[in-house]
Amino acid sequence: EDKVVQSPLSLVVHEGDTVTLNCSYEVTNFRSLLWYKQEKKAPTFLFMLTSSGIEKKSGRLSSILDKKELFSILNITATQTGDSAVYLCAVDSNYQLIWGAGTKLIIKP
Amino acid sequence: NAGVTQTPKFQVLKTGQSMTLQCAQDMNHEYMSWYRQDPGMGLRLIHYSVGAGITDQGEVPNGYNVSRSTTEDFPLRLLSAAPSQTSVYFCASSKRSMNTEAFFGQGTRLTVV
């Protein structure tokens, strides 16, 4: 059975800290791994990763994929209160997205 | 840009009632899907469509029907609501396949009493 596991489930840090969120997966036919940010409502797209070792970067956020060890990490540097959200990881397997339960990140001022 | 529009935003149903959640996108996306999101769990795929006239079941299809008569619209029907269907429902669309960015509607919070 395909599965995606995110850790930690929740994380509380202070503004300015750096955080690393983890996503591991076991799927039958990996096509890509996607990261989304979910604040109060709809998830919004952050990154899509298809190749190992190639870092995707957007401002203070970056992500990398390891297809040998079957995981991805999402890094957020110099965190701000606006980064507080649930971060979701999903893996495209056989044209269906398999979602992790998410990491709830809380940034304290 | 409207993107993906879901209606209603909130709904309360009695057990046994039926209803349709509406989803429309104006981006000419081929792929559309419905998810439910429950506390502590990831998004779970209910049904999806790869184009007009084509639908398929996802992980948790029981109790739900879909149709895709046009590219723009992908309604989700609850046939006979049950308390286990209390959840937040999201509609999503993407351009070619699920291997691209999916755009989500704002969600429908459904409570079945």
Side-chain angles (χ1 to χ4, degrees):
Chain A
E1 181 183 342
D2 291 350
K3 66 177 179 180
V4 175
V5 178
Q6 291 185 246
S7 63
L9 291 180
S10 64
L11 185 60
V12 181
V13 301
H14 286 97
E15 207 168 17
D17 288 350
T18 293
V19 298
T20 298
L21 310 183
N22 302 287
C23 176
S24 63
Y25 61 91
E26 292 179 32
V27 300
T28 53
N29 186 20
F30 177 90
R31 287 163 41 85
S32 63
L33 184 145
L34 300 96
W35 284 97
Y36 283 78
K37 178 182 181 182
Q38 185 176 26
E39 295 175 88
K40 294 187 177 177
K41 292 186 177 178
T44 53
F45 175 79
L46 294 175
F47 299 112
M48 184 175 73
L49 304 157
T50 56
S51 300
S52 276
I54 298 174
E55 184 183 54
K56 291 282 184 86
K57 196 171 174 66
S58 175
R60 297 176 293 101
L61 279 66
S62 63
S63 183
I64 198 161
L65 173 68
D66 186 329
K67 290 171 72 173
K68 181 179 177 184
E69 300 297 329
L70 307 183
F71 76 94
S72 172
I73 59 172
L74 175 68
N75 279 325
I76 308 175
T77 59
T79 52
Q80 302 171 357
T81 55
D83 295 326
S84 294
V86 175
Y87 289 84
L88 298 169
C89 170
V91 174
D92 182 346
S93 173
N94 293 322
Y95 295 95
Q96 293 190 22
L97 286 178
I98 312 299
W99 295 82
T103 294
K104 184 174 184 178
L105 177 63
I106 297 172
I107 310 296
K108 287 189 171 182
Chain B
N1 292 336
V4 180
T5 303
Q6 269 184 253
T7 56
K9 292 183 180 177
F10 301 95
Q11 183 71 50
V12 179
L13 289 179
K14 292 182 178 179
T15 297
Q17 286 185 316
S18 62
M19 78 159 295
T20 299
L21 306 185
Q22 302 292 343
C23 177
Q25 53 92 7
D26 62 358
M27 297 173 282
N28 201 30
H29 285 171
E30 296 173 357
Y31 285 70
M32 297 186 73
S33 52
W34 276 102
Y35 293 93
R36 59 177 290 172
Q37 187 174 36
D38 300 298
M41 302 182 73
L43 292 161
R44 291 185 292 168
L45 182 65
I46 304 171
H47 285 285
Y48 65 100
S49 169
V50 301
I54 306 169
T55 63
D56 207 347
Q57 295 181 352
E59 180 186 357
V60 288
N62 292 340
Y64 308 94
N65 272 356
V66 292
S67 59
R68 185 93 180 271
S69 56
T70 66
T71 299
E72 293 77 20
D73 300 299
F74 191 44
L76 177 72
R77 280 181 283 278
L78 279 71
L79 309 173
S80 177
S84 60
Q85 294 179 304
T86 293
S87 188
V88 178
Y89 291 84
F90 287 101
C91 177
S93 74
S94 59
K95 189 173 182 180
R96 288 187 301 277
S97 73
M98 292 309 292
N99 199 22
T100 56
E101 175 184 358
F103 294 83
F104 284 81
Q106 290 301 301
T108 297
R109 184 173 293 275
L110 175 68
T111 302
V112 182
V113 298

